[in-house]
Amino acid sequence: MSESRLAQKKAVVTSGTGGIWTVRDESGETHEASLRGRLKLPKNSPLKLAVGDDVMIDRDPGGNHWAISEILKRRSQLARRSPSGAYGERIIAANVDQVVLVFAAAKPEPHLRMMDRFLVIAEANEIEPRIVINKVELVGEGTAQEMFAPYAAAGYPIHFTSVKQSLGLTELHDQLVGRTSVLTGPSGVGKSSLMNAMYPGLNLRVGEISESVNKGRHTTVGALLHPLPDGGYVVDTPGLREVGMWELSPEDLAHCFREFREFAGECKFGDCSHRTEPGCALREAVRSHAITQARYESYLGLRDEMEGEKKPQAPSTKPRRR
Ligand code: GDP
Ligand code: ZN
């Protein structure tokens, strides 16, 4: 084996958007590394590097510089439409295991439409969502459980926490260990407080980086991976709102509402939009309260939005057949 081969290490990309990347090797050391020109691309390997990718790095022969020589197969990815145009996608983060949606039981009032949108984004990217309702002491745990009962019934894992009263923190912590989690939710719900309560000394300001960095600049700043002391990562990503729904076809939207699935296939028409068609099993489920009116309205809102986004087809430039 050659020397460079011996120096080869496995690492995770923690930041960078092209050019120089920061990677963290298995012993926890970070290095700056650039992509090797003649990158080995094994089968199923992604074509473009993203934060969260597992890579192999080695030192340039004779130099001190680390180079990324191989991108390992991806388990998952969060993607969004490329900002430069309608075609192509940009990977926000690779190998995300779960999207942790944090809302407050009160102060601020939970914005359920936003929660439904985030749940759809997670489902559309085939990444497990996990709901956290913080500040439960403001309404009482029983009331909080009632407020979110439809989500628990639909099968979404849900945590009720209070940083103020140290409630539910151990259970949430257990679910972050060893996983890569995107933490998201409106500001002021307690994301940073939760992270700092679960990881004292880590001093993580979730969302701060994205907000402050994005201000003076117009370029999109990439995601950052924060290593957790006992294994796993938290991803700080700007703009999860715009992620992911674009590649979903309107016909697949109902599937991204977990509790809709068992009904959506039972409609009279195979291509039922669940709006006005006769024999719609989904609307029947709303009438019988198997599906809540609020979730159904979220579905209608997102569906209208998706269909409104469709651009009219460009006129054909092909000559007419005579
Ligand atoms: P972030 O914007 O989501 O990161 O939210 P922060 O962590 O900055 O918290 C926003 C505010 O909510 C701060 O004033 C926190 O002290 C407060 N806060 C956080 N957790 C709780 C909680 O469990 N109960 C109450 N009552 N307030 C909390
Ligand atoms: Zn239907």
Side-chain angles (χ1 to χ4, degrees):
M1 233 182 221
S2 73
E3 231 178 286
S4 70
R5 207 77 190 119
L6 280 173
Q8 203 177 38
K9 291 179 189 227
K10 195 178 166 199
V12 179
V13 177
T14 55
S15 69
T17 47
I20 297 291
W21 300 81
T22 306
V23 302
R24 186 172 183 267
D25 67 27
E26 287 179 308
S27 62
E29 258 186 272
T30 58
H31 311 279
E32 306 250 281
S34 52
L35 268 181
R36 169 148 304 152
R38 33 186 179 73
L39 189 67
K40 247 187 285 171
L41 282 177
K43 264 206 178 123
N44 295 323
S45 146
L47 288 168
K48 278 194 180 149
L49 191 62
V51 165
D53 266 322
D54 291 322
V55 295
M56 297 306 293
I57 55 168
D58 58 44
R59 279 181 205 264
D60 266 354
N64 270 331
H65 190 73
W66 287 93
I68 297 167
S69 56
E70 193 177 334
I71 310 174
L72 303 181
K73 191 172 179 261
R74 258 181 211 155
R75 302 190 301 278
S76 68
Q77 60 185 33
L78 262 179
R80 74 178 182 85
R81 197 198 319 246
S82 158
S84 53
Y87 303 102
E89 60 180 8
R90 176 180 268 200
I91 310 303
I92 292 194
N95 298 326
V96 173
D97 297 308
Q98 57 183 351
V99 176
V100 180
L101 308 176
V102 186
F103 286 81
K107 290 186 182 173
E109 287 303 307
H111 188 333
L112 296 182
R113 289 288 283 272
M114 195 194 288
M115 178 141 102
D116 291 339
R117 172 191 294 272
F118 282 146
L119 286 171
V120 166
I121 288 170
E123 301 272 14
N125 281 274
E126 294 180 1
I127 297 171
E128 272 300 304
R130 178 174 298 279
I131 299 170
V132 176
I133 306 302
N134 188 39
K135 308 196 188 185
V136 281
E137 92 285 351
L138 294 178
V139 301
E141 204 171 337
T143 306
Q145 274 173 359
E146 266 169 48
M147 285 164 72
F148 295 94
Y151 295 92
Y156 293 108
I158 180 162
H159 297 255
F160 296 94
T161 63
S162 166
V163 174
K164 216 164 199 176
Q165 297 190 342
S166 288
L167 270 174
L169 301 179
T170 315
E171 291 79 359
L172 180 58
H173 182 172
D174 286 348
Q175 299 302 325
L176 300 181
V177 175
R179 298 189 185 158
T180 297
S181 309
V182 168
L183 201 70
T184 191
S187 72
V189 298
K191 295 183 296 297
S192 310
S193 307
L194 276 168
M195 289 309 294
N196 293 327
M198 291 186 289
Y199 300 97
L202 193 64
N203 237 328
L204 197 61
R205 288 284 325 170
V206 181
E208 189 191 62
I209 301 153
S210 42
E211 277 161 33
S212 59
V213 171
N214 269 337
K215 252 168 212 165
R217 291 198 219 167
H218 293 288
T219 51
T220 308
V221 174
L224 293 174
L225 222 59
H226 297 285
L228 298 175
D230 47 5
Y233 293 89
V234 166
V235 187
D236 196 349
T237 163
L240 191 70
R241 267 167 168 284
E242 33 183 327
V243 168
M245 286 209 317
W246 63 275
E247 60 179 12
L248 191 70
S249 70
E251 294 74 36
D252 293 331
L253 180 64
H255 233 74
C256 294
F257 286 72
R258 253 177 216 190
E259 75 276 32
F260 290 12
R261 288 177 192 165
E262 59 176 301
F263 304 106
E266 302 296 315
C267 300
K268 183 174 169 193
F269 299 107
D271 60 351
C272 188
S273 75
H274 319 301
R275 283 194 274 232
T276 54
E277 294 90 336
C280 175
L282 213 141
R283 273 186 298 128
E284 188 51 45
V286 177
R287 270 191 293 273
S288 69
H289 305 292
I291 287 174
T292 65
Q293 185 68 31
R295 288 273 287 167
Y296 178 59
E297 281 169 12
S298 283
Y299 164 81
L300 293 178
L302 289 174
R303 177 123 192 180
D304 285 349
E305 193 182 302
M306 289 167 87
E307 289 179 344
E309 263 181 16
K310 261 194 207 155
K311 302 222 165 63
Q313 290 239 306
S316 172
T317 50
K318 273 188 204 154
R320 246 187 223 145
R321 226 180 273 163
R322 266 167 283 188

